[in-house]
Amino acid sequence: MAEILHNTLKAERERLDLTQAALAERVGVSRKTINTVENGVFIPSTILALKLAAALDRPVEALFRLDGPGVSLKQDT
């Protein structure tokens, strides 16, 4: 089983009452790119993920979450 990248991009975009086109303009990509990221078809680059987080005023970790076997984001104490 592979890791899966989940995102809350659509919910965060809607929280700010932004269209896909408006968010796309803010980060310099096409509306289709925003759509494919929201639907999990396209995994954004680190740069795009950081731009999206900045545009939505949220930390990257609030927008993207990695799930799957062997994935543990908890720190060892």
Side-chain angles (χ1 to χ4, degrees), residues 43-71:
I43 297 173
S45 67
T46 303
I47 292 171
L48 179 53
L50 290 167
K51 286 181 177 183
L52 289 166
L56 296 170
D57 195 29
R58 302 289 290 156
V60 172
E61 297 85 358
L63 297 179
F64 299 99
R65 183 183 82 248
L66 187 62
D67 288 332
V71 174

